[in-house]
Amino acid sequence: MPASIVILTGAGVSAESGVDTFRDTGGIWSRYDYRKVATPEGFAADPALVHDFYNQRRSGLVKIAPNAAHYALARLEAGHPGRLTLVTQNIDDLHERAGSKNLIHMHGELTKAICVRCGSRHEWHGDLSTEVPCPACAEAGGLRPDVVWFGEMPYHMERIYEALGDCDLFLAIGTSGSVYPAAQFVQEASRAGAHTVELNLEPSETFGDFDEAIHGPASRVVPDYVEKLLKGK
Ligand code: OAD
């Protein structure tokens, strides 16, 4: 078993839980203009539209549940004697609900809101709107979903690069490899001498950068791979 493991997940790990991916046929970015719903400029132009987009997704969390891939990753963390860092681009809460602990949400979380007026962060499970006052500063109109939009810096990059720089095994699961900086993590891990593996439904845009690629649905290929690792094969 490798001493230090870093795992990057994307929308594909949640697809079989009923969460839409972004770039597959019929995916979120074929139905919504990302410039309108996932940029600071879009939010400034039409906050109600942006709130509606994320409110739908936040309220949908209670209708979905982790799948076998999320549970397998939590099992791997629990059974791994070394360090395991799970970095997700997903804003859903399925990894934590499956039991993952050392989890980094690099694109933020649907269940959190941040106030652009006072900078305070809050657990948030209901709808957001321009009328809702911030629990800290009491100003209305400042709260936004605590998610990273295009043009914004992903969260916890220092912690992520530190883990990648000390990594023996790097797995990328269910991500198309089309959004930076996450798409570059494989190169960073390779530089650190890690064995790199892609687990995805089909070859991603960056699959040529990996030492090994396993293609199939996450709910099948991730548990299989985790069992092999835990058995030391
Ligand atoms: P994408 O929609 O770009 O890619 C999803 C990947 O999952 C594709 O490569 C699919 O082939 C794969 N996939 C689909 N179903 C799968 C399954 N059942 N099992 C395994 N793989 C499957 O989503 P991400 O790579 O996560 O950012 O996108 C990255 C970022 O782009 C997101 O975090 C989001 C988006 O714009 C922001 O909103 C800032």
Side-chain angles (χ1 to χ4, degrees):
M1 176 92 82
S4 182
I5 303 175
V6 177
I7 302 170
L8 171 70
T9 63
V13 80
S14 296
E16 290 160 86
S17 295
V19 179
D20 290 335
T21 58
F22 294 95
R23 296 174 183 79
D24 293 304
T25 310
I28 293 173
W29 295 152
S30 70
R31 290 179 281 121
Y32 292 90
D33 182 344
Y34 78 89
R35 287 164 297 198
K36 292 192 174 152
V37 297
T39 62
E41 296 78 20
F43 186 60
D46 192 347
L49 177 84
V50 177
H51 281 313
D52 183 54
F53 176 74
Y54 288 98
N55 286 344
Q56 280 180 41
R57 304 184 75 202
R58 192 181 305 102
S59 62
L61 289 177
V62 296
K63 298 175 204 141
I64 60 173
N67 67 53
H70 298 101
Y71 285 116
L73 295 178
R75 242 182 358 262
L76 178 60
E77 183 178 6
H80 178 50
R83 178 184 186 195
L84 186 148
T85 307
L86 178 55
V87 181
T88 189
Q89 298 166 89
N90 300 342
I91 58 175
D92 66 50
D93 58 358
L94 296 178
H95 282 307
E96 46 271 55
R97 280 161 62 186
S100 285
K101 303 279 183 246
N102 192 20
L103 172 66
I104 299 176
H105 275 281
M106 66 177 288
H107 288 166
E109 294 169 71
L110 266 178
T111 55
K112 292 211 173 104
I114 183 168
C115 177
V116 297
R117 301 259 164 80
C118 72
S120 62
R121 281 196 162 82
H122 307 275
E123 278 279 320
W124 211 271
H125 297 279
D127 284 351
L128 279 171
S129 78
T130 50
E131 276 88 56
V132 180
C134 166
C137 70
E139 291 272 339
L143 287 172
R144 59 164 271 188
D146 191 11
V147 300
V148 174
W149 286 326
F150 289 93
E152 296 182 325
M153 181 63 83
Y155 292 156
H156 312 298
M157 292 310 295
E158 210 169 300
R159 240 177 102 197
I160 295 170
Y161 280 113
E162 190 266 313
L164 287 167
D166 173 40
C167 156
D168 304 301
L169 176 67
F170 174 76
L171 310 178
I173 303 172
T175 178
S176 61
S178 42
V179 172
Y180 287 82
Q184 260 167 356
F185 290 173
V186 56
Q187 289 158 9
E188 202 66 28
S190 287
R191 265 197 290 279
H195 180 69
T196 59
V197 187
E198 161 169 296
L199 296 110
N200 203 58
L201 192 59
E202 58 199 11
S204 75
E205 288 181 24
T206 51
F207 101 98
D209 295 341
F210 290 83
D211 297 320
E212 193 183 341
I214 300 169
H215 295 133
S219 68
R220 177 170 58 78
V221 295
V222 176
D224 286 356
Y225 190 83
V226 164
E227 287 325 305
K228 276 193 204 152
L229 271 182
L230 287 173
K231 285 182 185 149
K233 286 187 193 161

